[in-house]
Amino acid sequence: MQRSKNDLWVGLFVLLGAAALVFLALQSANLLQLNWRSGYTVTARFDNIGGLKPQAAVRSAGVVVGRVKAIGFDDTTYQASVELELDKRYVFPKDSSFKILTSGLLGDQYIGIEAGFADAHLAAGDTITATQSAVVLENLIGQFLYGRAEEAASAGGSK
């Protein structure tokens, strides 16, 4: 009887440990978010969102102030429409600008907010158009190579 009781406790402990590992893995990958705070939703329009994903962080001054709620495509303006859930503790002026930034050289993408100076604040349902799209590494490399080819062509033609 004692052995089966110990087996039950060991099995329960192992299951609890496995559940904790799954929870931590989902949290670290931004696939699970437990947020009991309420917030307000705003929409930002971007020409190019790069590799931005739902549940990506929204940061201001390095502090997480919200999360990307949903990403869609507006077929009238041909822009990406990004719904952001901002924590109600943080209010931003209406003229704030939103940028898609990258953590490190090849890290995850997130949205950075630069606060503006307007007296009015963003409210639920507002749409932000003062945005800066993601920097796409392939485009930068192409521009660099194209610029080098032009330099070589102009240097060769001027002789």
Side-chain angles (χ1 to χ4, degrees):
M1 185 71 180
Q2 182 66 22
R3 180 172 164 80
S4 66
K5 200 176 205 181
N6 284 342
D7 289 345
L8 178 71
W9 283 109
V10 168
L12 186 64
F13 183 75
V14 167
L15 284 177
L16 188 64
L21 284 174
V22 168
F23 174 78
L24 286 174
L26 291 174
Q27 278 287 101
S28 66
N30 281 334
L31 297 175
L32 175 69
Q33 178 190 5
L34 298 177
N35 187 2
W36 291 279
R37 296 185 208 122
S38 60
Y40 58 100
T41 302
V42 296
T43 303
R45 305 218 182 264
F46 293 94
D47 290 328
N48 186 349
I49 61 167
L52 188 71
K53 296 179 178 80
Q55 297 300 322
V58 178
R59 299 175 189 246
S60 184
V63 177
V64 176
V65 297
R67 294 272 173 194
V68 173
K69 188 176 182 181
I71 298 172
F73 182 73
D74 185 357
D75 57 356
T76 57
T77 61
Y78 302 105
Q79 290 181 314
S81 177
V82 181
E83 272 187 58
L84 309 170
E85 179 81 25
L86 301 176
D87 194 332
K88 72 177 181 178
R89 297 182 300 165
Y90 307 111
V91 292
F92 295 96
K94 279 197 181 267
D95 64 343
S96 297
S97 65
F98 289 59
K99 299 177 181 181
I100 297 179
L101 304 169
T102 305
S103 298
L105 185 60
L106 298 173
D108 287 339
Q109 290 187 320
Y110 65 95
I111 294 183
I113 302 175
E114 284 189 18
F117 298 100
D119 293 330
H121 296 290
L122 287 173
D126 283 351
T127 300
I128 297 101
T129 56
T131 60
Q132 181 178 333
S133 294
V135 175
V136 181
L137 190 59
E138 290 85 4
N139 291 348
L140 285 177
I141 293 171
Q143 288 174 351
F144 175 74
L145 293 176
Y146 181 71
R148 291 291 231 175
E150 272 190 352
E151 286 176 14
S154 65
S158 64
K159 287 185 180 182

